[in-house]
Amino acid sequence: MKKTTASGLTKTTLNNMFISTKLCIPPMKAQLLPRESLLERLSRGRDRRLIVVSGMAGSGKTSLVCQWIARDDLTVAWYSLDQTDNDGDLFFRYFLTALAGVDERLARMIEPFLQSHKVISGTEFVPLAVRLFVDLDRDIHVVLDDYHLVQSPEIHRVLTSLLEYMPPRMHLVIVSRYTIPIPMGHFRIRNQMVEIAPSDIYFTEAETERFVKEIMQVALSHDEMRELRRHTEGWVGGLQLFGLSLKSGGTVVNKNDMLGRLGQETTAYLIEEIVNAQPEKVKNFIYDTALLERFSDELCEEVTGLSDVAEILDHLHRNNLYLIALDVKGTWYRYHHLLSEAVRKSVRTASPATFREVQRKAARWFANNGYLEDALRHAFVSGDKELTADLLEDSLPLFYEYYDVPSGVRWIAKLPRSVLIKRALLRLHECLLKIDSLHFSALEEIFREIEAEGEDIFKRYHGFKKMLCDDLVTYFRYVLRYFLRDPAHADVERLNEAVGLISRGNRVFAVYIKLAVAWSHFIMGDLALAGETLEETSGLLLTCESVWARMLWTRLATDVERYRGRLIRSEAVLRESSEFLDEKGFSESPMRFILSMSWARIFYLRNDLDTALSHLAIALDYAEQMKMASDIVQANGLLAFIYLAQGDEERTQLCTRKMELAARATGSRNMVAVVEAMVARIAMGRGNLDFVDTWVEGRRLSMDDPFSILFVMECLDYCEYYYRRGRHQEGRAMLEQLRERCTARGMWEQILDIDLLYSATLYALSERDKAHRTMQRALVFSEAEGYVRPLVERGTFILPILKDLAARKSHRAVPWLYHIIGQCRSGREGVHATISGMKKRHPDLTHREMEILKLITVGYQNKEIADRTCVSLDTIKTHTKHIFQKLDVKTRIQAIRRAEDLKLFKTT
């Protein structure tokens, strides 16, 4: 019906107005999904003065209000607004007409005003509306639908005044896309309003799935449903348009087909109905910024050239124009996925040059502000290959420093070969990023290609980049060719010579070379030289200030200290580096995972297998992502020993197989030999001596072989093999020679293993006094440093000797002796023995669980316990759960009382 002025309104016109679609509740759609939680909120607030439902276009606001009206059987005066309703007189007349349509008494009172030729003003309207409702015997909800179309300050002011004086029976329901320009704080404080915000109106994941299955009646796979949820983000309009496309013909063939249909149906709507309907400046702003995956004020200024970005973003936010805040501070934003995709498709087609230029600007801005992933993503999308290569050359050192190696490798792989081949610096970085994979033959091939091209390939570089190229060439020329090919035969003098060739402005490579020297000494068993080199390197670490280099240094220093038998000092080094990461702001970065393998080894040696497993899970996951061959081998090897201890044959075999495959993939003879020695030891633990027979025969170990850590591992395997085969004299001779050589090098962790086997061998040879003295020496050392697992692993060999010592009660470390007996007897983690009678002190609590329980009893919370024990909060929660189960309690208070009853922390 066409609107008329006041002078044109007649009684007949009034009657026509009653059936006008503007003043009728929209018909209920046949297919609606009940929004129970929202409907309940509206029902609870039905008596409030103001009810506001806001959300972006197509979000289901009107449908929700219609559902509520039907559910609660409300008496409603409905007024659907459009842009012509900004005239005050016309707005007030339609408002009154809507009221007249729901009550005969109101209609009689209102009719004279509607038929009057006088313009209705706001000063007349408010008293009239109040007077109309004073004696009303029922509640009436006045619904103003699409209120965002009202721009008149007068109408906003009049409604604000009406809300102040409204009678209890009158309730105003405002449905709007935008934040309404009516002060609402006053009504919130007085609990006089209910608000359904834009964030509330979105479908939840469960509602989206129900809508697809029950309303659209479409069967989607799990992946298709997940993608549909991700793209629509709970926007009902998108789901409805998608449903209409299916009704018009066809079914969903696959995920790509589904997303294609979704994009086709929503693009036209979003562009024409939303974007192009905005003021020119806002429209152009959306066309530029929607090309970005995320944006801030400063980035928007860079891309659009506008200075009033904050005001535009505020406009978009207030008007619910598909803008989504990515943080609570409102620093970063993005648009709804479907809007972004619609705009990108439109701009790519209509103005590809604009699309590329926006991407280039964004790439440079992100790079200048340290957002490497964003910078490279936009550079690649721009199609500017040279810009992408430039950014990669600038960014890759940071990827390596922050230990995000997979990202660096991934971005290089995306670059076309035709561009990469011209960039020597990128190719050198590629070698550096892949060095932990230990695929040295492939790296040497790349390096040889670079060297073969001569100086011409470096002509494009100047200043720092040229220096970086020179240092990388020096590093690979010395380290790759001499050290990494066969660490056992590294030319240490040439490596030290290379340190002096590294430029002063790039000392991190000097650190890498010195660490290579220290590693060479370490694997040859020269712990003193390894320690001295690490001490020298610590000074260089301060100069280069590289966090990554510090972590590499820590891992090697931890191993060196541990092999020296200084388990406590080894743990202290790890703790110091963990604190260093916290101080540098890396506590939540992937860098922290680099220490997980070292922590796992410490906890394993202390026989805290649960905590060791938690660290190993992290270490292995990260090692596989980083393609760190050495860590993959070590982690699987340690896992195999733990699963062997737990009697899990299937997992033991699986980890053994993974370890073997990873070692062979490196092509390193030394790595393969290390794994073969570990596999032989695992086979003995499983009782498979036939396999070890084959290994021993093939290895043909001689005590004249060059000394190294691998040599010690193999000798220990031989000695255990001799013991199990009853060849005790052969084992004794080898152990005596091996101990002498390890003592000369200060390898006390290995000497502990030697003494345990030596004591068992002497005992088998009936030299019991000597066996007892050797075992006493091992017990004193293991107690001082906290070694448990080496004794448990040899438990079946040494338990008779330990029982002899316990019977004599002459050993000074009697509590430790009984602790070790309990551990060896159980054959698993978590069983302790008392001194008298060797009974369990408590219900199967492990050493770590006892430590945590003690901290609980003195009042520490989980986060504090995690900090003190240097394990994750999740691990502490898991331990606490196990403690409660074993003590048969449900609360911390009950656990403390149970511990007191059992006298768990009394001296025994």
Side-chain angles (χ1 to χ4, degrees), residues 101 132 149 210 226 303 389 659 680 692 758 812 815 844:
L132 290 171
L149 296 173
R210 282 186 58 203
R226 184 182 60 198
V303 168
M659 177 174 61
V692 187
Y758 189 55
R812 68 178 183 83
D844 247 6

Side-chain angles (χ1 to χ4, degrees), residues 753-863:
D753 255 337
I754 293 168
D755 280 350
L756 294 174
L757 281 171
Y758 189 55
S759 178
T761 300
L762 292 171
Y763 198 84
L765 291 169
S766 299
E767 297 185 36
R768 299 201 170 185
D769 287 343
K770 195 170 183 178
H772 291 158
R773 289 194 299 273
T774 303
M775 182 56 65
Q776 286 176 331
R777 183 172 61 201
L779 286 169
V780 170
F781 172 75
S782 66
E783 182 186 28
E785 293 293 336
Y787 284 98
V788 178
R789 192 67 208 171
L791 288 85
V792 174
E793 286 183 346
R794 312 292 187 191
T796 55
F797 305 161
I798 66 173
L799 194 55
I801 309 170
L802 296 174
K803 289 180 180 179
D804 283 357
L805 292 175
R808 292 165 54 183
K809 297 184 179 180
S810 59
H811 182 54
R812 68 178 183 83
V814 172
W816 183 254
L817 168 63
Y818 279 96
H819 172 68
I820 296 300
I821 290 174
Q823 295 284 305
C824 292
R825 274 188 156 188
S826 69
R828 65 183 189 276
E829 178 193 20
V831 179
H832 296 266
T834 59
I835 293 177
S836 57
M838 299 181 210
K839 295 180 180 179
K840 288 190 287 184
R841 295 168 59 189
H842 48 73
D844 247 6
L845 290 179
T846 67
H847 177 73
R848 173 63 74 179
E849 288 166 353
M850 283 289 290
E851 180 184 6
I852 292 170
L853 178 57
K854 190 169 186 177
L855 292 172
I856 289 174
T857 61
V858 296
Y860 286 107
Q861 299 302 309
N862 285 346
K863 180 64 171 64

Side-chain angles (χ1 to χ4, degrees), residues 240-294:
Q240 290 173 329
L241 288 169
F242 176 57
L244 289 173
S245 76
L246 295 178
K247 284 186 177 180
S248 63
T251 57
V252 175
V253 177
N254 53 40
K255 182 172 66 177
N256 291 332
D257 172 59
M258 179 194 71
L259 296 180
R261 284 174 176 270
L262 183 62
Q264 289 171 8
E265 294 297 329
T266 57
T267 295
Y269 173 82
L270 292 169
I271 294 296
E272 296 302 324
E273 299 293 327
I274 306 300
V275 180
N276 291 345
Q278 300 306 311
E280 193 68 19
K281 178 184 280 191
V282 175
K283 179 178 73 174
N284 292 335
F285 179 88
I286 294 174
Y287 271 116
D288 283 341
T289 54
L291 304 180
L292 311 172
E293 291 191 10
R294 64 174 183 143

Side-chain angles (χ1 to χ4, degrees), residues 468-657:
L468 187 56
C469 285
D470 292 340
D471 289 337
L472 278 165
V473 168
T474 300
Y475 175 75
F476 285 118
R477 183 172 289 149
Y478 283 81
V479 173
L480 186 62
R481 290 187 173 182
Y482 298 102
F483 176 71
L484 295 175
R485 180 175 295 173
D486 187 358
H489 298 91
D491 191 333
V492 172
E493 289 186 10
R494 284 183 61 80
L495 288 172
N496 281 321
E497 175 189 330
V499 173
L501 300 177
I502 300 295
S503 59
R504 286 193 166 274
N506 212 6
R507 300 307 287 167
V508 66
F509 289 107
V511 172
Y512 294 159
I513 296 173
K514 290 296 286 184
L515 289 175
V517 173
W519 176 254
S520 177
H521 290 315
F522 172 68
I523 64 171
M524 294 304 296
D526 293 327
L527 300 185
L529 286 175
E532 289 173 12
T533 307
L534 286 171
E535 186 66 28
E536 294 170 10
T537 310
S538 62
L540 286 172
L541 280 173
L542 297 175
T543 305
C544 73
E545 297 183 344
S546 167
V547 177
W548 166 236
R550 168 72 181 263
M551 294 304 104
L552 292 180
W553 182 93
T554 297
R555 281 165 57 101
L556 184 52
T558 300
D559 285 342
V560 170
E561 292 295 343
R562 186 168 57 77
Y563 271 67
R564 284 173 159 175
R566 302 172 183 173
L567 192 57
I568 294 173
R569 175 57 190 155
S570 180
E571 185 173 354
V573 171
L574 279 174
R575 290 188 185 279
E576 289 167 8
S577 285
S578 296
E579 292 169 3
F580 171 80
L581 287 178
D582 290 339
E583 292 169 6
K584 292 293 183 179
F586 284 87
S587 57
E588 298 301 323
S589 78
M591 184 75 76
R592 71 190 186 279
F593 297 143
I594 193 64
L595 301 180
S596 296
M597 187 65 230
S598 299
W599 277 118
R601 183 70 66 178
I602 294 286
F603 286 115
Y604 177 79
L605 290 169
R606 296 206 187 286
N607 206 32
D608 186 349
L609 301 189
D610 283 345
T611 308
L613 279 171
S614 67
H615 282 285
L616 275 175
I618 296 170
L620 184 57
D621 180 64
Y622 199 56
E624 288 174 344
Q625 288 184 46
M626 299 295 176
K627 299 188 180 350
M628 298 169 62
S630 180
D631 276 24
I632 292 172
V633 168
Q634 289 185 56
N636 277 295
L638 197 52
L639 279 171
F641 282 113
I642 293 176
Y643 292 139
L644 179 64
Q646 295 176 341
D648 192 331
E649 180 72 13
E650 184 177 347
R651 287 185 175 179
T652 302
Q653 292 186 23
L654 178 62
C655 291
T656 302
R657 183 61 179 156

